[in-house]
């Protein structure tokens, strides 16, 4: 294992210390848990919390800031944060207007965030949740019942965060979040596995000429393995699955081409070129495109594509100002 770390068991705590030192004007870490919150707390508006296992940076703590999240809960690498940690995050950012939990659809995340929600409600804190399941690759997986939540979550952070900044009620912020969930679909692929620091070895093996189609962001099995194909052929397969699940002909959309950790921008832009060709060929107007690393899987080589159908409200919220360590608009 080759990694620029000290002790494997300290990677999350040292990462968070380094993040706060790099962005003190944006974020701070609370004392009681591995939770990153805004340096200047938001008041008088709904607070948003997301999180999950570490290893997906910049998700989720990198999106804490104006126009997006109020707290990011950081579990151990690829491990759901504990209910106690989520509860500490709720207490740290709660407002009278309420707290919305954004949960990716993994069994541990859903269970632990819901337990924290019950703990908060027992203390009289107004809290609600939305669960995102944008991955069309598999209906059920190693860690889920139903579809997984992957990079479309970042678009949810952006839009729900913008809605909260308008002073909207908890019910209205949840409603726009659920609109995003209903209208975003994603799928990914990988060329290489990744190594969890404490494991010290890859979570799965791929031959030099193999790729995994539809894998999860923790290395969960995908749809199938195949020999590596040209970029256009890979994109064609992923987009066909996305569009079969959510027809977009003649619609207006946002697109996210997300790198999984070790894929050069050169390759992501090649992917985006083909995504654009497919969508415009179906009369789809691409309103906004995001290309880069938004939700990674440590050092995995590969990418995911997310497509979000837009209406006037979602376009306005997508364009709204945001200022976080990992996203600015």
């Amino acid at each position: 294992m080759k990694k620029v770390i000290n002790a494997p068991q300290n990677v999350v705590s040292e990462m968070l210390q380094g993040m706060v030192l790099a962005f003190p004007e944006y974020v701070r870490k609370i004392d009681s848990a591995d939770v990153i919150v805004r340096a200047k707390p938001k008041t008088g508006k709904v607070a948003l919390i997301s999180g999950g296992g570490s290893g997906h940076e910049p998700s989720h703590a990198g999106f804490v800031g104006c126009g997006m999240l109020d707290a990011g809960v950081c579990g151990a690498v690829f491990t759901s944060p504990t209910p106690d940690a989520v509860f500490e995050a709720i207490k740290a950012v709660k407002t009278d207007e309420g707290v919305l939990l954004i949960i990716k659809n993994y069994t541990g995340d859903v269970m632990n965030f819901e337990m924290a929600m019950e703990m908060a409600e027992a203390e009289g804190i107004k809290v609600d949740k939305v669960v995102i399941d944008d991955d069309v690759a598999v209906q059920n997986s190693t860690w889920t019942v139903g579809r997984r939540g992957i990079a479309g979550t970042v678009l949810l952070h952006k839009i729900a965060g913008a809605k909260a900044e308008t002073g909207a009620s908890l019910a209205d912020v949840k409603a726009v979040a659920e609109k995003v969930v209903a209208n975003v679909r994603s799928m990914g692929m990988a060329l290489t596995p990744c190594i969890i620091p404490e494991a010290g070895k890859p979570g799965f093996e791929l031959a030099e000429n193999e790729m995994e189609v539809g894998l999860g962001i923790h290395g969960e099995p995908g749809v199938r393995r195949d020999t590596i194909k040209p970029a256009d052929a890979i994109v064609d397969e992923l987009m066909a699955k996305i569009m079969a699940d959510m027809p977009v002909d003649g619609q207006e959309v946002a697109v996210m081409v997300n790198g999984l950790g070790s894929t050069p921008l050169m390759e992501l832009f090649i992917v985006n070129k083909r995504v654009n060709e497919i969508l415009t060929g179906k009369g789809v107007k691409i309103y906004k495109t995001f290309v880069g690393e938004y939700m990674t899987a440590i050092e995995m080589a590969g990418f995911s594509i997310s497509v979000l159908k837009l209406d006037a409200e979602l376009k306005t919220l997508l364009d709204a100002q945001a200022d976080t360590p990992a996203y600015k608009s």
Side-chain angles (χ1 to χ4, degrees):
M1 178 178 71
K2 290 183 177 180
K3 289 185 181 291
V4 185
I5 62 174
N6 295 307
Q9 65 271 22
N10 294 335
V11 292
V12 174
S13 62
E14 292 185 354
M15 171 187 72
L16 297 181
Q17 291 173 48
M19 180 183 180
V20 171
L21 290 169
F23 301 106
E25 70 277 26
Y26 288 99
V27 296
R28 64 179 179 86
K29 180 186 174 297
I30 68 173
D31 294 333
S32 53
D34 286 335
V35 173
I36 294 295
V37 300
R38 294 192 191 191
K40 297 178 181 177
K42 181 170 68 182
T43 59
K45 298 175 182 178
V46 172
L48 269 63
I49 298 174
S50 189
S54 296
H56 304 303
E57 290 71 35
S59 289
H60 301 80
F63 301 117
V64 172
C66 179
M68 293 187 79
L69 301 176
D70 294 273
V73 192
C74 306
V77 177
F78 290 179
T79 302
S80 300
T82 66
D84 286 343
V86 180
F87 183 43
E88 291 299 319
I90 294 171
K91 291 190 294 182
V93 302
K94 66 181 175 66
T95 70
D96 291 341
E97 286 66 32
V99 177
L100 182 67
L101 305 180
I102 296 174
I103 311 168
K104 299 189 305 301
N105 189 35
Y106 296 94
T107 302
D109 285 8
V110 173
M111 178 178 67
N112 291 348
F113 274 76
E114 286 182 344
M115 288 176 64
M117 183 173 168
E118 291 172 2
M119 295 161 69
E121 289 172 337
E123 292 205 1
I125 300 171
K126 186 192 303 183
V127 60
D128 210 333
K129 66 174 182 179
V130 63
V131 178
I132 182 165
D133 57 354
D134 54 310
D135 186 3
V136 301
V138 290
Q139 181 59 37
N140 296 289
S141 70
T142 311
W143 295 354
T144 65
V145 176
R147 297 189 312 219
R148 304 174 292 211
I150 56 173
T153 309
V154 179
L155 297 171
L156 175 54
H157 293 165
K158 173 66 190 72
I159 289 170
K163 187 69 172 181
E165 293 288 357
T166 68
S169 69
L170 180 57
D172 286 345
V173 176
K174 178 177 179 176
V176 82
E178 289 181 330
K179 185 193 291 190
V180 174
V181 171
N183 287 284
V184 66
R185 300 290 188 274
S186 305
M187 188 168 171
M189 61 79 65
L191 299 175
T192 67
C194 59
I195 300 174
I196 296 174
E198 291 205 52
K201 59 182 181 180
F204 60 94
E205 298 289 342
L206 283 173
E208 187 63 28
N209 66 336
E210 281 187 320
M211 64 179 182
E212 179 95 12
V213 179
L215 85 167
I217 54 172
H218 311 94
E220 308 99 312
V223 176
R224 62 187 176 83
R225 289 189 180 182
D226 202 348
T227 54
I228 297 174
K229 291 181 167 53
D232 285 0
I234 297 170
V235 174
D236 288 352
E237 179 174 354
L238 301 187
M239 287 296 293
K241 191 76 181 285
I242 289 170
M243 293 185 297
D245 195 274
M246 183 185 71
V248 294
D249 296 34
Q251 302 282 323
E252 195 164 10
V253 304
V255 170
M256 175 175 282
V257 176
N258 170 64
L260 293 178
S262 292
T263 304
L265 276 171
M266 175 190 290
E267 297 173 24
L268 296 181
F269 286 129
I270 291 170
V271 168
N272 185 59
K273 172 181 174 292
R274 183 58 179 167
V275 172
N276 187 288
E277 290 170 352
I278 292 169
L279 290 173
T280 55
K282 291 185 173 294
V284 176
K285 181 179 179 181
I286 301 173
Y287 181 73
K288 192 178 286 286
T289 300
F290 304 87
V291 179
E293 292 187 339
Y294 297 93
M295 184 173 288
T296 63
I298 317 180
E299 78 275 38
M300 187 180 289
F303 67 91
S304 65
I305 301 167
S306 299
V307 178
L308 170 66
K309 286 198 297 187
L310 298 171
D311 62 11
E313 179 185 32
L314 296 185
K315 285 165 60 176
T316 298
L317 296 171
L318 197 59
D319 285 342
Q321 180 184 7
D323 190 15
T324 77
Y327 183 93
K328 297 172 177 60
S329 64

